[in-house]
Amino acid sequence: MSNLADAIESVLLARQATGVILILVCALAVRLNLPFTREVWHDPSRFWRGTARVAAGLGLATLLWVAIFDDWLQLVAEPYRLSMPWDYQRVVFDPVDPTLRAVSVGLIAATLAAMACLFARHVGGYLLQVGTLVLSTLIWMPIFIMNQRLNAMIVQGAEASETLPEVLGLSAFWALRTGLGVLTIGATLMTGTMLLALVATAILDLLGLREQRITHEADGFFTELQRRSGQHEDIPLKTLWRPIRRPL
């Protein structure tokens, strides 16, 4: 196999690749939702501004930590792996150090808790949370199964690929696997967030901290409407009245 093929294959099989792709996807999501992000960041409540900054810091730390020291695909598959009844079904190839994994789990739990509070504040309450939970769970099941199958295909294909064209062909499966992997990670994190959001919403309601936020999304519309209405002179209806003539 050529040096170029070796380099491509090493990139495809690197555990950090999924983490880097996930960071880029999160950055793109923030960029596309910049107005909403600004409203969350500049919330009039000091408590919620602090919560937004804590969530952002935890989220960034989690993305960097897992991308460098852990494996996202192993991490989201951990509950499924541990639920297997037989020891041979719980075997992990190239496992992550348990100490590093514990830090990853702690960071993810803290991030999801902060995100759950922000969801309760800025997005919606119990009904929307339950609906999102059901939807994310339904999405998670099929893409997780497909992702597991593609993982096996990638490993087997990497062992059998010896030429550059074969490695390039394997790259197409890797791109598909990475896309499904990101969706699996997103659905898993969303499911966890919604589970925590139900608890967080109840606690915030009991403490009286989940007051409705004041949005400014429609300010431009109403400002323009007020400006246009001010350009028209109010004319009494009586001046527009005309007698109705009875037809002959």
Side-chain angles (χ1 to χ4, degrees), residues 15 51 137 139 147 195 200 236:
R15 65 172 60 175
T51 304
T137 304
I139 292 174
N147 187 57
L195 288 173

Side-chain angles (χ1 to χ4, degrees), residues 174-229:
W174 177 86
L176 179 60
R177 192 284 305 265
T178 302
L180 287 175
V182 171
L183 288 176
T184 304
I185 295 167
T188 304
L189 297 180
M190 182 60 70
T191 301
T193 302
M194 291 304 102
L195 288 173
L196 292 175
L198 292 170
V199 179
T201 304
I203 295 175
L204 292 171
D205 283 339
L206 291 174
L207 297 177
L209 296 174
R210 201 174 69 93
E211 67 273 10
Q212 294 295 321
R213 69 186 180 98
I214 300 175
T215 63
H216 302 280
E217 298 172 356
D219 284 358
F221 170 77
F222 286 109
T223 301
E224 181 65 17
L225 183 63
Q226 184 179 9
R227 186 186 68 81
R228 288 178 178 270
S229 63

